[in-house]
PDB file of all heavy atoms in Angstrom:
ATOM      1  N   LEU A  42     -16.725  25.462  15.047  1.00  0.00           N
ATOM      2  CA  LEU A  42     -17.340  24.471  14.161  1.00  0.00           C
ATOM      3  C   LEU A  42     -16.986  24.781  12.703  1.00  0.00           C
ATOM      4  O   LEU A  42     -17.282  25.863  12.193  1.00  0.00           O
ATOM      5  CB  LEU A  42     -18.863  24.490  14.340  1.00  0.00           C
ATOM      6  CG  LEU A  42     -19.356  24.272  15.777  1.00  0.00           C
ATOM      7  CD1 LEU A  42     -20.877  24.419  15.843  1.00  0.00           C
ATOM      8  CD2 LEU A  42     -18.923  22.906  16.301  1.00  0.00           C
ATOM      9  N   LYS A  43     -16.339  23.838  12.042  1.00  0.00           N
ATOM     10  CA  LYS A  43     -15.979  24.001  10.632  1.00  0.00           C
ATOM     11  C   LYS A  43     -17.156  23.499   9.802  1.00  0.00           C
ATOM     12  O   LYS A  43     -17.464  22.302   9.788  1.00  0.00           O
ATOM     13  CB  LYS A  43     -14.721  23.191  10.329  1.00  0.00           C
ATOM     14  CG  LYS A  43     -14.286  23.191   8.872  1.00  0.00           C
ATOM     15  CD  LYS A  43     -13.833  24.550   8.389  1.00  0.00           C
ATOM     16  CE  LYS A  43     -13.164  24.455   7.019  1.00  0.00           C
ATOM     17  NZ  LYS A  43     -12.921  25.817   6.448  1.00  0.00           N
ATOM     18  N   CYS A  44     -17.789  24.422   9.093  1.00  0.00           N
ATOM     19  CA  CYS A  44     -19.096  24.136   8.483  1.00  0.00           C
ATOM     20  C   CYS A  44     -18.983  23.633   7.049  1.00  0.00           C
ATOM     21  O   CYS A  44     -19.216  24.378   6.092  1.00  0.00           O
ATOM     22  CB  CYS A  44     -19.956  25.384   8.549  1.00  0.00           C
ATOM     23  SG  CYS A  44     -20.379  25.822  10.241  1.00  0.00           S
ATOM     24  N   GLU A  45     -18.658  22.363   6.908  1.00  0.00           N
ATOM     25  CA  GLU A  45     -18.588  21.775   5.570  1.00  0.00           C
ATOM     26  C   GLU A  45     -19.971  21.498   4.976  1.00  0.00           C
ATOM     27  O   GLU A  45     -20.069  21.105   3.812  1.00  0.00           O
ATOM     28  CB  GLU A  45     -17.729  20.511   5.591  1.00  0.00           C
ATOM     29  CG  GLU A  45     -16.240  20.814   5.692  1.00  0.00           C
ATOM     30  CD  GLU A  45     -15.690  21.436   4.408  1.00  0.00           C
ATOM     31  OE1 GLU A  45     -15.748  20.788   3.355  1.00  0.00           O
ATOM     32  OE2 GLU A  45     -15.218  22.581   4.463  1.00  0.00           O
ATOM     33  N   ASN A  46     -21.026  21.739   5.758  1.00  0.00           N
ATOM     34  CA  ASN A  46     -22.362  21.735   5.153  1.00  0.00           C
ATOM     35  C   ASN A  46     -22.498  22.872   4.143  1.00  0.00           C
ATOM     36  O   ASN A  46     -23.345  22.803   3.255  1.00  0.00           O
ATOM     37  CB  ASN A  46     -23.450  21.826   6.236  1.00  0.00           C
ATOM     38  CG  ASN A  46     -23.264  23.008   7.165  1.00  0.00           C
ATOM     39  OD1 ASN A  46     -22.141  23.418   7.447  1.00  0.00           O
ATOM     40  ND2 ASN A  46     -24.354  23.545   7.666  1.00  0.00           N
ATOM     41  N   PHE A  47     -21.636  23.893   4.255  1.00  0.00           N
ATOM     42  CA  PHE A  47     -21.644  24.989   3.278  1.00  0.00           C
ATOM     43  C   PHE A  47     -20.690  24.729   2.104  1.00  0.00           C
ATOM     44  O   PHE A  47     -20.476  25.600   1.277  1.00  0.00           O
ATOM     45  CB  PHE A  47     -21.264  26.313   3.956  1.00  0.00           C
ATOM     46  CG  PHE A  47     -22.259  26.800   4.981  1.00  0.00           C
ATOM     47  CD1 PHE A  47     -21.840  27.269   6.216  1.00  0.00           C
ATOM     48  CD2 PHE A  47     -23.617  26.807   4.709  1.00  0.00           C
ATOM     49  CE1 PHE A  47     -22.746  27.739   7.163  1.00  0.00           C
ATOM     50  CE2 PHE A  47     -24.537  27.267   5.647  1.00  0.00           C
ATOM     51  CZ  PHE A  47     -24.111  27.731   6.876  1.00  0.00           C
ATOM     52  N   PHE A  53     -18.279  17.797   2.537  1.00  0.00           N
ATOM     53  CA  PHE A  53     -16.837  17.925   2.297  1.00  0.00           C
ATOM     54  C   PHE A  53     -16.339  17.134   1.092  1.00  0.00           C
ATOM     55  O   PHE A  53     -15.198  17.313   0.650  1.00  0.00           O
ATOM     56  CB  PHE A  53     -16.070  17.450   3.544  1.00  0.00           C
ATOM     57  CG  PHE A  53     -16.088  15.944   3.708  1.00  0.00           C
ATOM     58  CD1 PHE A  53     -15.035  15.165   3.244  1.00  0.00           C
ATOM     59  CD2 PHE A  53     -17.166  15.306   4.296  1.00  0.00           C
ATOM     60  CE1 PHE A  53     -15.050  13.771   3.362  1.00  0.00           C
ATOM     61  CE2 PHE A  53     -17.199  13.916   4.418  1.00  0.00           C
ATOM     62  CZ  PHE A  53     -16.140  13.151   3.949  1.00  0.00           C
ATOM     63  N   PHE A 176     -12.677  17.127  16.996  1.00  0.00           N
ATOM     64  CA  PHE A 176     -13.652  16.037  16.889  1.00  0.00           C
ATOM     65  C   PHE A 176     -14.104  15.919  15.432  1.00  0.00           C
ATOM     66  O   PHE A 176     -14.334  16.931  14.775  1.00  0.00           O
ATOM     67  CB  PHE A 176     -14.882  16.324  17.761  1.00  0.00           C
ATOM     68  CG  PHE A 176     -14.649  16.180  19.234  1.00  0.00           C
ATOM     69  CD1 PHE A 176     -13.899  17.115  19.939  1.00  0.00           C
ATOM     70  CD2 PHE A 176     -15.198  15.106  19.934  1.00  0.00           C
ATOM     71  CE1 PHE A 176     -13.692  16.982  21.313  1.00  0.00           C
ATOM     72  CE2 PHE A 176     -14.998  14.964  21.304  1.00  0.00           C
ATOM     73  CZ  PHE A 176     -14.240  15.904  21.996  1.00  0.00           C
ATOM     74  N   PRO A 178     -16.336  12.997  12.542  1.00  0.00           N
ATOM     75  CA  PRO A 178     -17.059  11.734  12.390  1.00  0.00           C
ATOM     76  C   PRO A 178     -16.187  10.666  11.731  1.00  0.00           C
ATOM     77  O   PRO A 178     -15.290  10.984  10.952  1.00  0.00           O
ATOM     78  CB  PRO A 178     -18.232  12.105  11.467  1.00  0.00           C
ATOM     79  CG  PRO A 178     -17.846  13.376  10.791  1.00  0.00           C
ATOM     80  CD  PRO A 178     -16.784  14.043  11.610  1.00  0.00           C
ATOM     81  N   LEU A 184     -12.516  11.060   5.781  1.00  0.00           N
ATOM     82  CA  LEU A 184     -12.443  12.366   6.436  1.00  0.00           C
ATOM     83  C   LEU A 184     -11.609  12.262   7.710  1.00  0.00           C
ATOM     84  O   LEU A 184     -10.788  13.130   8.002  1.00  0.00           O
ATOM     85  CB  LEU A 184     -13.854  12.875   6.764  1.00  0.00           C
ATOM     86  CG  LEU A 184     -13.904  14.216   7.495  1.00  0.00           C
ATOM     87  CD1 LEU A 184     -13.375  15.347   6.620  1.00  0.00           C
ATOM     88  CD2 LEU A 184     -15.335  14.534   7.947  1.00  0.00           C
ATOM     89  N   LEU A 268     -28.026  22.330  16.485  1.00  0.00           N
ATOM     90  CA  LEU A 268     -27.454  23.073  15.358  1.00  0.00           C
ATOM     91  C   LEU A 268     -28.532  23.785  14.545  1.00  0.00           C
ATOM     92  O   LEU A 268     -28.351  24.914  14.105  1.00  0.00           O
ATOM     93  CB  LEU A 268     -26.654  22.124  14.466  1.00  0.00           C
ATOM     94  CG  LEU A 268     -25.361  21.601  15.105  1.00  0.00           C
ATOM     95  CD1 LEU A 268     -24.831  20.393  14.352  1.00  0.00           C
ATOM     96  CD2 LEU A 268     -24.306  22.707  15.143  1.00  0.00           C
ATOM     97  N   ILE A 274     -28.345  26.402  11.403  1.00  0.00           N
ATOM     98  CA  ILE A 274     -27.729  25.771  10.241  1.00  0.00           C
ATOM     99  C   ILE A 274     -28.244  24.350  10.065  1.00  0.00           C
ATOM    100  O   ILE A 274     -28.514  23.642  11.025  1.00  0.00           O
ATOM    101  CB  ILE A 274     -26.186  25.763  10.303  1.00  0.00           C
ATOM    102  CG1 ILE A 274     -25.657  25.120  11.590  1.00  0.00           C
ATOM    103  CG2 ILE A 274     -25.648  27.189  10.187  1.00  0.00           C
ATOM    104  CD1 ILE A 274     -24.128  25.030  11.637  1.00  0.00           C
ATOM    105  N   VAL A 276     -27.672  20.736   9.254  1.00  0.00           N
ATOM    106  CA  VAL A 276     -26.583  19.758   9.294  1.00  0.00           C
ATOM    107  C   VAL A 276     -27.216  18.372   9.285  1.00  0.00           C
ATOM    108  O   VAL A 276     -28.210  18.134   9.970  1.00  0.00           O
ATOM    109  CB  VAL A 276     -25.720  19.954  10.562  1.00  0.00           C
ATOM    110  CG1 VAL A 276     -24.608  18.911  10.644  1.00  0.00           C
ATOM    111  CG2 VAL A 276     -25.132  21.361  10.593  1.00  0.00           C
ATOM    112  N   GLY A 280     -23.208  14.648   9.987  1.00  0.00           N
ATOM    113  CA  GLY A 280     -22.441  15.867  10.236  1.00  0.00           C
ATOM    114  C   GLY A 280     -22.513  16.322  11.674  1.00  0.00           C
ATOM    115  O   GLY A 280     -21.621  17.013  12.176  1.00  0.00           O
ATOM    116  N   ALA A 281     -23.606  15.952  12.362  1.00  0.00           N
ATOM    117  CA  ALA A 281     -23.809  16.389  13.745  1.00  0.00           C
ATOM    118  C   ALA A 281     -23.138  15.461  14.752  1.00  0.00           C
ATOM    119  O   ALA A 281     -23.082  15.773  15.944  1.00  0.00           O
ATOM    120  CB  ALA A 281     -25.309  16.480  14.038  1.00  0.00           C
ATOM    121  N   VAL A 282     -22.636  14.326  14.279  1.00  0.00           N
ATOM    122  CA  VAL A 282     -22.054  13.320  15.168  1.00  0.00           C
ATOM    123  C   VAL A 282     -20.858  13.885  15.947  1.00  0.00           C
ATOM    124  O   VAL A 282     -20.673  13.583  17.131  1.00  0.00           O
ATOM    125  CB  VAL A 282     -21.677  12.070  14.337  1.00  0.00           C
ATOM    126  CG1 VAL A 282     -20.629  11.235  15.034  1.00  0.00           C
ATOM    127  CG2 VAL A 282     -22.930  11.234  14.064  1.00  0.00           C
ATOM    128  N   SER A 283     -20.072  14.743  15.294  1.00  0.00           N
ATOM    129  CA  SER A 283     -18.899  15.294  15.989  1.00  0.00           C
ATOM    130  C   SER A 283     -19.331  16.192  17.152  1.00  0.00           C
ATOM    131  O   SER A 283     -18.727  16.158  18.224  1.00  0.00           O
ATOM    132  CB  SER A 283     -17.995  16.054  15.019  1.00  0.00           C
ATOM    133  OG  SER A 283     -18.753  16.945  14.231  1.00  0.00           O
ATOM    134  N   LEU A 284     -20.389  16.976  16.946  1.00  0.00           N
ATOM    135  CA  LEU A 284     -20.878  17.806  18.058  1.00  0.00           C
ATOM    136  C   LEU A 284     -21.482  16.926  19.157  1.00  0.00           C
ATOM    137  O   LEU A 284     -21.318  17.220  20.351  1.00  0.00           O
ATOM    138  CB  LEU A 284     -21.908  18.829  17.571  1.00  0.00           C
ATOM    139  CG  LEU A 284     -22.467  19.725  18.673  1.00  0.00           C
ATOM    140  CD1 LEU A 284     -21.380  20.550  19.352  1.00  0.00           C
ATOM    141  CD2 LEU A 284     -23.563  20.650  18.139  1.00  0.00           C
ATOM    142  N   ALA A 301     -14.614  21.105  15.873  1.00  0.00           N
ATOM    143  CA  ALA A 301     -15.374  19.962  15.363  1.00  0.00           C
ATOM    144  C   ALA A 301     -15.650  20.203  13.889  1.00  0.00           C
ATOM    145  O   ALA A 301     -15.900  21.340  13.472  1.00  0.00           O
ATOM    146  CB  ALA A 301     -16.687  19.790  16.113  1.00  0.00           C
ATOM    147  N   ILE A 302     -15.594  19.138  13.132  1.00  0.00           N
ATOM    148  CA  ILE A 302     -15.929  19.250  11.712  1.00  0.00           C
ATOM    149  C   ILE A 302     -17.368  18.779  11.515  1.00  0.00           C
ATOM    150  O   ILE A 302     -17.712  17.649  11.858  1.00  0.00           O
ATOM    151  CB  ILE A 302     -14.942  18.436  10.862  1.00  0.00           C
ATOM    152  CG1 ILE A 302     -13.546  19.058  11.026  1.00  0.00           C
ATOM    153  CG2 ILE A 302     -15.387  18.432   9.401  1.00  0.00           C
ATOM    154  CD1 ILE A 302     -12.493  18.485  10.144  1.00  0.00           C
ATOM    155  N   LEU A 303     -18.198  19.696  11.016  1.00  0.00           N
ATOM    156  CA  LEU A 303     -19.568  19.352  10.627  1.00  0.00           C
ATOM    157  C   LEU A 303     -19.494  18.981   9.154  1.00  0.00           C
ATOM    158  O   LEU A 303     -19.319  19.837   8.291  1.00  0.00           O
ATOM    159  CB  LEU A 303     -20.503  20.544  10.845  1.00  0.00           C
ATOM    160  CG  LEU A 303     -20.471  21.190  12.233  1.00  0.00           C
ATOM    161  CD1 LEU A 303     -21.460  22.352  12.294  1.00  0.00           C
ATOM    162  CD2 LEU A 303     -20.785  20.176  13.328  1.00  0.00           C
ATOM    163  N   SER A 304     -19.613  17.674   8.870  1.00  0.00           N
ATOM    164  CA  SER A 304     -19.177  17.196   7.557  1.00  0.00           C
ATOM    165  C   SER A 304     -20.135  17.478   6.411  1.00  0.00           C
ATOM    166  O   SER A 304     -19.709  17.507   5.251  1.00  0.00           O
ATOM    167  CB  SER A 304     -18.901  15.695   7.639  1.00  0.00           C
ATOM    168  OG  SER A 304     -20.043  15.033   8.154  1.00  0.00           O
ATOM    169  N   GLY A 305     -21.433  17.685   6.712  1.00  0.00           N
ATOM    170  CA  GLY A 305     -22.355  17.919   5.604  1.00  0.00           C
ATOM    171  C   GLY A 305     -23.747  18.294   6.065  1.00  0.00           C
ATOM    172  O   GLY A 305     -24.053  18.243   7.267  1.00  0.00           O
TER     173      GLY A 305
END
Side-chain angles (χ1 to χ4, degrees):
Chain A
L42 304 176
K43 176 66 169 171
C44 294
E45 285 290 299
N46 54 328
F47 294 135
F53 74 96
F176 287 73
L184 178 66
L268 291 164
I274 55 177
V276 178
V282 158
S283 48
L284 180 61
I302 296 187
L303 308 180
S304 54

